[in-house]
Amino acid sequence: MIYFLSDAHLGSRAIDTPQVHQQRLIDMLCSMAKDATAIYLLGDIFDFWCEYFWYDSSKEQYSPFLQTLKKITSKGIAIHFFIGNHDIWTFGWLEKITGVVVHRKPESIEIHGKRIFLAHGDGLMPSDYVRQLPKKIQKKIQQFIFLRKVFHNPILQFLFRLLPPAWANNFGYEWAKNSRLKELSHPCSYKGEDKEELVLFAKEQEQLGNHHDFYIFGHRHIELDLMLSRESRIMILGDCWQQFTYAQMDNYELRIKNFEL
Ligand SMILES: [Mn+2]
């Protein structure tokens, strides 16, 4: 069985019981590990993750989770860690400690003869579509794209990693907390087939001849399973901080499920 999950936002300051949350994620992974051949973590597993040049005591809170990853990869089960927009700043330490494979870009993979497009989902939208949007929304998107460039810039990353972790973490966790609180007050909802950016992105790929049987994304914190055509299907995974949803795939089918203890 192959599993896909995303958006746990571990360590979020908007979560009242972080240990309970982390344990639930650990239980979920351990139950998957019973029959998994691979596990794909599709981004934002951490609410804020940065590896500094100095020792960072805040990483200790994740010890149980990191040990679980290590335990699973040691069994020979591959764990693929896609960076999201909250855990961009990993520079080899996470891989070394846990044995996960880090992916910094979307990937096309093949499983059981199916071509699958995998990405966290931030920053993917057809530019034709963006041009049709009201100016105000276009401006917001431009701001997001600018910030994304800043976050991904190697020089700025280098400088940020020089900061004292306690100080930089406070900045990072507070920034991330704001987006969680925003989400709690305005829960994400599906915008519809003609407005949902990831659906439009997948449709554009199909039109461009870059065919995939499945598109699987995180990022949006909504659960979606939609046929784009007879041969192509998109899935958005929900999240693992409130809904605890995930997808599983075997020889026969791909489907979204809810993790229950
Ligand atoms: Mn995200």
Side-chain angles (χ1 to χ4, degrees):
M1 197 72 80
I2 293 156
Y3 293 96
F4 306 88
L5 57 137
S6 73
D7 298 274
H9 292 272
L10 276 181
S12 168
R13 291 186 178 175
I15 295 173
D16 296 332
T17 51
Q19 270 121 347
V20 176
H21 174 232
Q22 182 170 182
Q23 191 53 49
R24 196 158 171 207
L25 186 69
I26 290 172
D27 292 343
M28 189 172 173
L29 287 169
C30 289
S31 109
M32 288 172 174
K34 286 178 196 156
D35 62 357
T37 49
I39 299 174
Y40 288 85
L41 306 176
L42 289 190
D44 287 357
I45 294 305
F46 299 99
D47 205 36
F48 180 70
W49 179 275
C50 179
E51 292 162 15
Y52 303 95
F53 292 112
W54 329 113
Y55 174 71
D56 172 14
S57 61
S58 80
K59 296 281 186 295
E60 286 166 13
Q61 63 179 311
Y62 304 121
S63 289
F65 175 69
L66 298 175
Q67 279 162 16
T68 306
L69 294 180
K70 174 82 194 151
K71 212 171 76 192
I72 297 173
T73 58
S74 308
K75 280 195 206 167
I77 301 166
I79 301 184
H80 296 272
F81 182 99
F82 284 65
I83 61 165
N85 49 319
H86 285 254
D87 43 18
I88 303 163
W89 307 276
T90 169
F91 304 97
W93 189 74
L94 185 69
E95 273 175 304
K96 210 173 104 189
I97 293 293
T98 63
V100 302
V101 181
V102 172
H103 299 269
R104 303 189 159 274
K105 294 208 166 74
E107 302 274 0
S108 285
I109 60 164
E110 214 181 292
I111 304 175
H112 303 316
K114 302 282 185 198
R115 195 151 182 257
I116 309 175
F117 187 95
L118 298 173
H120 177 57
D122 62 308
L124 299 178
M125 55 188 98
S127 42
D128 279 352
Y129 164 73
V130 176
R131 276 193 283 274
Q132 292 164 18
L133 295 169
K135 282 275 171 304
K136 229 172 111 183
I137 299 176
Q138 279 194 35
K139 224 176 171 178
K140 270 200 168 160
I141 293 173
Q142 277 161 7
Q143 281 168 357
F144 180 81
I145 292 171
F146 173 74
L147 210 61
R148 199 172 183 275
K149 278 191 184 148
V150 169
F151 287 169
H152 283 261
N153 181 291
I155 297 164
L156 295 173
Q157 285 181 344
F158 179 86
L159 294 174
F160 193 79
R161 295 175 69 199
L162 284 170
L163 296 173
W167 189 88
N169 278 338
N170 198 45
F171 170 80
Y173 280 107
E174 286 304 307
W175 157 75
K177 180 185 168 187
N178 284 333
S179 38
R180 293 289 69 67
L181 292 178
K182 232 185 256 170
E183 192 186 328
L184 285 171
S185 56
H186 303 280
C188 315
S189 55
Y190 177 49
K191 296 180 195 166
E193 206 175 325
D194 53 340
K195 289 206 178 76
E196 191 65 49
E197 286 91 350
L198 292 172
V199 173
L200 296 168
F201 171 81
K203 282 184 178 172
E204 188 189 44
Q205 294 303 306
E206 292 301 301
Q207 271 164 15
L208 293 170
N210 186 21
H211 171 66
H212 291 81
D213 299 280
F214 303 130
Y215 292 83
I216 308 179
F217 301 107
H219 185 54
R220 283 281 288 124
H221 297 205
I222 58 171
E223 208 182 310
L224 179 77
D225 183 357
L226 180 76
M227 295 303 295
L228 296 167
S229 69
R230 269 179 64 186
E231 284 94 25
S232 191
R233 184 173 162 200
I234 179 172
M235 209 169 244
I236 304 180
L237 293 173
D239 69 53
C240 289
W241 79 294
Q242 288 185 306
Q243 310 169 65
F244 282 86
T245 44
Y246 64 95
Q248 67 175 47
M249 182 184 176
D250 61 15
N251 277 320
Y252 308 102
E253 60 166 9
L254 169 69
R255 62 181 176 133
I256 296 191
K257 293 183 85 174
N258 246 83
F259 177 67
E260 276 155 57
L261 288 170

